[in-house]
Every structure is written in C-alpha cells, then in structure tokens.
Amino acid sequence: MTPLDLPAVVNADPVLRRWGRNLSAEVLLEVGPQSWLLSIVKGAVEARPGPFLMPRWDVALRIDPDAWADYLRPEPPPGRHDLFALIRFGKLKLEGNLHPFMSHILWFKGALATLRGAAA
C-alpha cells in the first residue's frame, strides 16, 4: 500500500476518525524522492501525490526509503517498528509545526500502521 491508500482506510475507521476529530493539518510525507501531501480535516484524509513546487504544509515527515520499506513489513525489525524509533535512529526527520503531530501521535501511528496490511 502507498500513502494514496490512506484516505480509504483511515476515513472508514471509526477509531482513527475519533482520535483525529480535532486534527486539521497539511502533512508532507516524503520517502526519498517520492512525496505525498496529506490534507487532514477533523481526522479525515485526502492524499495527493507529488512532486510539488513549494507546497504549503504544517508538518513534514521525511523518511529514509529503506527504513520506510522495513516499517511497512508485517513484522518490522527493532528500530523500524515505530515512528519514535525511526526518529531515534535518524531515519525519520520531522520539520515544521510539531504540535499537530505530537498532540495526535496516536492518530499518526495508527494511520501509518494501516499501510502495513498489504505490504507483504
């Protein structure tokens, strides 16, 4: 699955919608040279593929491609299993306004973990 699959999965999940009910932000997700702009409004997601010319975003998540591939595995290896583990080992970099990310960390963890389903 790719981040373009997030809207269908997240918008249909009542738990993620409840966790994100106060989350509205523009999120830039970059995996190496690929990028997606996630527009999140009250927990509902819309995704657009890049490349972009000077996109407006609130928070950017820039992930190493190899680490992203490991993260998407059904059983990721240690250090690649969690967003904070990726940050700890320098594989994920956060930029911009971190408040939406940190105040809705469960939503971000849950939403991105849904991409693991078909990664096998």
Side-chain angles (χ1 to χ4, degrees):
M1 294 178 89
T2 70
L4 291 176
D5 299 316
L6 272 177
V9 177
V10 171
N11 295 344
D13 188 329
V15 173
L16 287 174
R17 290 297 302 272
R18 188 176 69 246
W19 285 349
R21 68 185 175 270
N22 296 317
L23 172 61
S24 293
E26 296 290 322
V27 178
L28 178 66
L29 176 62
E30 286 188 348
V31 180
Q34 295 180 308
S35 60
W36 299 270
L37 194 59
L38 307 175
S39 296
I40 306 165
V41 178
K42 296 182 180 178
V45 181
E46 288 183 19
R48 295 189 324 254
F52 303 102
L53 181 62
M54 297 179 61
R56 190 199 82 69
W57 46 265
D58 297 307
V59 62
L61 287 78
R62 302 180 197 277
I63 305 172
D64 175 72
D66 294 331
W68 180 249
D70 284 344
Y71 178 81
L72 292 179
R73 290 177 30 194
E75 293 186 27
R80 307 272 173 113
H81 66 289
D82 182 68
L83 296 178
F84 281 117
L86 291 168
I87 292 169
R88 165 72 173 88
F89 291 104
K91 302 299 181 184
L92 169 62
K93 300 206 181 334
L94 296 176
E95 297 176 10
N97 179 9
L98 300 184
H99 185 266
F101 179 80
M102 295 305 253
S103 62
H104 295 89
I105 189 63
L106 285 178
W107 185 92
F108 280 95
K109 285 183 175 189
L112 293 177
T114 61
L115 296 176
R116 290 184 178 149

